[in-house]
Amino acid sequence: MSATLPRILVPGKINERVLQRLPDTFEIVRLERADPDLVTADMIDVKGIAVSGRVPAGLMDALPGLEIIANFGVGYDGVDVKHAASKGIVVTNTPDVLTEEVADTAIGLLINTLRQLPQAEQWLRQGRWARDGAFALSPLSLRGRTVGLYGLGRIGLAIAKRLEAFGVSVAYHTRSPRDGLTYAYYPTLERLAAAVDTLVVIVPGTEATRKTVNAQVLSALGSNGVLINVGRGSTVDEAALVAALQTGVIAGAGLDVFDNEPYVPDALLALPNVSLLPHVASASVVTRNAMADLVVDNLRAWFSAGKALTPVPETPLTRRVG
Ligand code: DGY
């Protein structure tokens, strides 16, 4: 392996295609997990990290030559980006390439939750259609619903466009209204929840969004209300959600993300009025390949042209020379 290739640390697991493509231009250094205590003296010259998961401040501090962290995913809540910015380390993510896939999944999860299609399929597979008769009518439907989007970035907009085609009303809450849209805007999440019966969460997982979908918001959503979360589990107060689902404060929930993944609370698993997915919104081969390519292309662009392709807004950096 040539000593001149920049060394890229890959802590933990990452999409196979990243590992296949990196060796064309880099030397890969593997680490079992993103733990600074596992860093050894021979990793001192590592210049980049490719990661699907966490990068704590301590790992950055343990790698004095670190210039770039290429995050596999549009959400980069696992990376201590403030610390990276303070050290002049650029962080990149994978926007755009997963937008349509995640929006597709959000609609699928919404319909599964309302129409109980996974349960209906189980009914058929268990032979109950022939034995016991038709599957029960779903109490909920998409017909006549008003959907509120909590977050209207690239993915939120793609979900909104799809919802328009389904003939339902769309409203949204973000920090400030977006120009050029006809969707109703609500300046607070609670007011949005009170105005709609279906809330789709697609905000990033940050301190500002942490547990913002709380008991008050769920109560405002109301007894016909349905919560869909394809953003981050940290945005929802999971205990409040379980209580709201158990007591009929809301009617149902569809969740692709959880607060402590991959662990899903037993109380949620026990509920009949939820549809649960193991964080698969972007998880098709074609989309994950595109995300993998963008991880590698960001690293290549940084070391060859001095500029990453998709740096996150907190680190709009160019490469230091010398
Ligand atoms: C992301 O890109 O942040 C998604 O959650 C990964 O599927």
Side-chain angles (χ1 to χ4, degrees):
M1 190 107 26
S2 161
T4 59
L5 296 178
R7 302 183 83 207
I8 304 296
L9 186 76
V10 181
K13 290 185 187 154
I14 200 160
N15 181 282
E16 204 47 41
R17 189 173 172 104
V18 175
L19 299 173
Q20 282 160 7
R21 284 199 57 205
L22 277 176
D24 293 349
T25 26
F26 301 105
E27 182 189 342
I28 300 180
V29 180
R30 296 303 298 266
L31 200 60
E32 193 188 330
R33 56 181 188 277
D35 180 348
D37 291 344
L38 299 180
V39 172
T40 50
D42 63 310
M43 297 177 193
I44 219 80
D45 58 348
V46 158
K47 288 194 160 34
I49 293 178
V51 70
S52 175
R54 292 177 60 247
V55 181
L59 185 58
M60 300 179 207
D61 293 342
L63 300 167
L66 186 63
E67 299 178 23
I68 178 167
I69 299 168
N71 181 66
F72 182 90
V74 69
Y76 49 97
D77 43 300
V79 179
D80 189 336
V81 73
K82 241 192 213 168
H83 195 70
S86 75
K87 298 186 71 124
I89 297 167
V90 67
V91 177
T92 66
N93 66 343
T94 61
D96 299 318
V97 293
L98 47 56
T99 298
E100 306 301 330
E101 194 79 77
V102 175
D104 290 347
T105 311
I107 297 295
L109 181 57
L110 172 62
I111 294 178
N112 277 352
T113 306
L114 293 166
R115 298 296 326 287
Q116 304 183 323
L117 299 183
Q119 295 94 316
E121 181 164 352
Q122 282 312 309
W123 184 266
L124 178 153
R125 286 180 181 278
Q126 290 161 0
R128 299 195 62 186
W129 189 14
R131 201 169 59 239
D132 301 328
F135 183 70
L137 305 184
S138 69
L140 304 175
S141 165
L142 185 57
R143 296 304 93 219
R145 283 196 168 255
T146 302
V147 182
L149 287 157
Y150 175 24
L152 203 65
R154 299 174 181 89
I155 302 172
L157 269 177
I159 296 171
K161 265 195 203 151
R162 283 161 174 73
L163 289 168
E164 278 189 63
F166 279 88
V168 297
S169 311
V170 178
Y172 73 105
H173 163 67
T174 50
R175 273 172 301 191
S176 45
R178 293 195 53 159
D179 290 337
L181 294 176
T182 53
Y183 310 134
Y185 171 74
Y186 290 86
T188 69
L189 177 56
E190 201 169 329
R191 281 177 63 185
L192 174 70
V196 303
D197 51 30
T198 310
L199 188 62
V200 177
V201 178
I202 184 65
V203 281
T206 64
E207 267 318 300
T209 59
R210 186 162 179 74
K211 293 198 179 183
T212 43
V213 179
N214 55 25
Q216 289 92 302
V217 169
L218 295 168
S219 157
L221 192 57
S223 58
N224 190 34
V226 168
L227 177 76
I228 302 297
N229 190 3
V230 284
R232 283 292 180 266
S234 61
T235 305
V236 174
D237 180 339
E238 241 168 38
L241 175 62
V242 168
L245 288 162
Q246 283 169 340
T247 57
V249 168
I250 66 169
L255 309 172
D256 183 47
V257 287
F258 302 88
D259 203 19
N260 185 27
E261 295 177 10
Y263 305 102
V264 178
D266 287 342
L268 266 180
L269 293 170
L271 286 165
N273 50 345
V274 294
S275 187
L276 306 173
L277 296 176
H279 200 148
V280 293
S282 66
S284 68
V285 171
V286 64
T287 294
R288 288 287 169 89
N289 279 351
M291 291 163 66
D293 285 345
L294 190 47
V295 166
V296 176
D297 292 344
N298 262 306
L299 291 166
R300 284 190 178 171
W302 179 257
F303 290 104
S304 65
K307 211 170 175 308
L309 301 177
T310 52
V312 303
E314 294 92 329
T315 61
L317 306 170
T318 47
R319 188 159 191 244
R320 296 178 299 256
V321 179

